[in-house]
Amino acid sequence: MNISCDEEIQLPSTWQPRLHNLETLFLSRCWSHELISSRFHRLKMLKVFGYSGGSALFTFSGFRSLQQLQELVISDCAFLEEIAEDDKMSGMNKKTITLSHLDKVVL
């Protein structure tokens, strides 16, 4: 799936069930609050360009769900401070995470 826009977007509710089955996601100049805590159990490739949605791309538990991720590319994201933030709602603090299929990281 390729999403490109110049602002924050709200994903249609009909997309939510399909997000869990995505294998590839390209985001250009946008992000959605629905995505930060989403689980992408099948995602193999994530490319994010021009992110301006906050200090983190995912909650820690959302990032931990990326066990099939093979490639992560983050580019031109001036406001990004971290890839995964603490889960404030669940009380989960950052811990070590292993993504055993991750072969390529480009920052």
Side-chain angles (χ1 to χ4, degrees), residues 54-67:
S55 62
L57 292 176
F58 291 99
T59 61
F60 187 75
S61 60
F63 190 66
R64 187 173 57 185
S65 75
L66 299 174
Q67 291 301 308

Side-chain angles (χ1 to χ4, degrees), residues 39-100:
R39 306 292 188 271
F40 297 98
H41 298 286
R42 295 184 179 182
L43 196 66
K44 294 180 180 179
M45 181 186 305
L46 174 61
K47 294 186 178 186
V48 181
F49 302 97
Y51 170 80
S52 61
S55 62
L57 292 176
F58 291 99
T59 61
F60 187 75
S61 60
F63 190 66
R64 187 173 57 185
S65 75
L66 299 174
Q67 291 301 308
Q68 299 302 314
L69 193 65
Q70 296 172 7
E71 183 175 344
L72 174 63
V73 177
I74 300 172
S75 177
D76 193 27
C77 300
F79 299 106
L80 186 65
E81 295 175 13
E82 54 192 356
I83 295 172
E85 68 183 4
D86 289 346
D87 290 339
K88 294 170 182 70
M89 295 278 221
S90 71
M92 180 180 286
N93 292 322
K94 292 180 206 169
K95 298 178 183 174
T96 302
I97 184 171
T98 301
L99 299 175
S100 58

Side-chain angles (χ1 to χ4, degrees), residues 1-4 9 11-12 14-16 18-28 35 40 43 45-47:
M1 176 180 277
N2 189 343
I3 302 173
S4 180
I9 59 170
L11 296 177
T14 55
W15 288 17
Q16 291 297 328
R18 294 183 182 118
L19 292 177
H20 302 291
N21 293 319
L22 283 180
E23 291 190 7
T24 303
L25 180 59
F26 300 123
L27 297 169
S28 180
L35 292 177
F40 297 98
L43 196 66
M45 181 186 305
L46 174 61
K47 294 186 178 186

